[in-house]
């Protein structure tokens, strides 16, 4: 685990991230808050590309909780069987949809606590939805962010909660809205798990990772 970088270094890192991609976007396809919640929940232990392929047809016929209930659990399974843990995920999607209809009038709530009360929705999923749909500076820490935060010193922490706090505490406020997207994209395409592409990294000179590749 690297040491926590200082304010000025972090500001320079995110200034470079912003210059490279001023308005970073999430890579999960969705058409409304409900389909975003479903897509993020389905993405656990799956790639965004795989989820998008599975949900392309699903969201055309089931883009509300009631439509998903009308489709039924087997109908959901038929669409998402290419995704890992598809049976359990389909069950959660139906349970989530039922709870949304029963308790929230079919409308996705926009508090973290309410979102986390939905089946299959943990803190990371709730943070993604709060950030991407409602524009809140919520930090969804996945494996890419955890790796980058600890390697570089941007946001070191022993667990995802510690990394989330480090992001919130150390990244300047004007970069908070897009911080997790910049970090996800950098971790997914540059600071990869095996053989990170350090030679192509535009924050290489600021990163504390000791085993940089040539």
């Amino acid at each position: 685990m690297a040491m926590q970088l200082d304010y000025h270094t972090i500001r320079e890192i995110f200034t470079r991230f912003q210059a490279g991609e001023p308005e970073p976007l999430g890579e999960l396809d969705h058409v409304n808050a409900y389909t975003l919640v479903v897509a993020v929940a389905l993405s656990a232990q799956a790639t965004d590309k795989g989820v998008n392929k599975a949900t392309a047809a699903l969201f055309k016929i089931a883009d509300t909780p009631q439509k998903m209930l009308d489709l039924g659990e087997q109908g959901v399974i038929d669409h998402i069987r290419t995704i890992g843990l598809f049976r359990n995920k389909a069950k959660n999607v139906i349970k989530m949809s039922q709870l949304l209809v029963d308790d929230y009038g079919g409308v996705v709530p926009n508090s973290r606590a309410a979102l986390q009360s939905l089946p299959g929705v943990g803190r990371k999923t709730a943070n993604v939805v709060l950030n991407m749909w409602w524009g809140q500076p919520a930090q969804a820490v996945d494996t890419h962010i955890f790796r980058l935060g600890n390697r570089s010193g941007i946001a070191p922490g022993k667990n995802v909660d510690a990394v989330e706090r480090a992001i919130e505490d150390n990244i300047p406020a004007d970069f908070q809205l897009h911080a997790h997207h910049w970090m996800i994209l950098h971790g997914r395409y540059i600071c990869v798990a095996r053989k990170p592409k350090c030679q192509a990294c535009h924050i290489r000179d600021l990163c504390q990772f000791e085993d940089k590749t040539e």
Side-chain angles (χ1 to χ4, degrees):
M1 183 190 300
M3 294 290 290
Q4 175 67 60
L5 292 170
D6 63 73
Y7 173 84
H8 298 291
T9 303
I10 291 177
R11 172 162 284 283
E12 176 59 25
I13 286 172
F14 281 87
T15 297
R16 294 182 192 181
F17 282 158
Q18 184 178 57
E21 186 67 63
E23 295 291 333
L25 299 173
E27 297 184 325
L28 284 172
D29 294 337
H30 59 282
V31 297
N32 54 28
Y34 171 69
T35 55
L36 177 58
V37 174
V38 173
V40 179
L42 293 177
S43 70
Q45 299 182 49
T47 65
D48 288 358
K49 185 178 293 185
V51 172
N52 290 340
K53 184 177 181 179
T55 59
L58 175 63
F59 290 161
K60 288 180 180 178
I61 60 174
D63 59 356
T64 69
Q66 187 58 58
K67 289 179 182 177
M68 196 69 76
L69 291 173
D70 293 341
L71 180 62
E73 186 175 328
Q74 186 57 51
V76 176
I77 287 174
D78 291 342
H79 281 89
I80 69 168
R81 61 174 61 253
T82 56
I83 300 175
L85 306 174
F86 65 90
R87 292 189 187 279
N88 190 56
K89 289 179 179 179
K91 186 175 296 185
N92 279 335
V93 167
I94 292 299
K95 287 182 179 178
M96 175 203 302
S97 302
Q98 190 67 64
L99 194 150
L100 286 171
V101 169
D102 292 344
D103 294 356
Y104 296 100
V107 178
V108 176
N110 62 355
S111 78
R112 183 181 287 110
L115 284 166
Q116 286 188 245
S117 74
L118 303 175
V121 177
R123 185 177 180 88
K124 188 189 85 169
T125 296
N127 282 346
V128 171
V129 175
L130 289 171
N131 181 274
M132 289 181 62
W133 193 258
W134 281 288
Q136 297 300 306
Q139 308 302 330
V141 178
D142 68 354
T143 56
H144 302 299
I145 290 180
F146 187 80
R147 180 174 64 252
L148 174 61
N150 277 292
R151 272 182 179 172
S152 65
I154 293 173
K158 292 182 178 180
N159 53 52
V160 294
D161 291 338
V163 171
E164 182 180 333
R165 288 194 299 272
I167 292 172
E168 293 172 344
D169 291 347
N170 292 286
I171 294 176
D174 47 318
F175 295 121
Q176 286 276 334
L177 180 59
H178 295 314
H180 96 272
H181 276 133
W182 282 317
M183 292 182 72
I184 285 173
L185 293 172
H186 195 74
R188 182 175 290 164
Y189 297 110
I190 301 296
C191 193
V192 296
R194 296 182 180 180
K195 296 183 179 179
K197 302 173 184 177
C198 298
Q199 67 275 22
C201 177
H202 54 293
I203 64 166
R204 176 183 175 127
D205 58 315
L206 305 174
C207 171
Q208 294 191 62
F209 185 47
E210 295 181 352
D211 299 320
K212 292 185 176 72
T213 58
E214 295 301 330

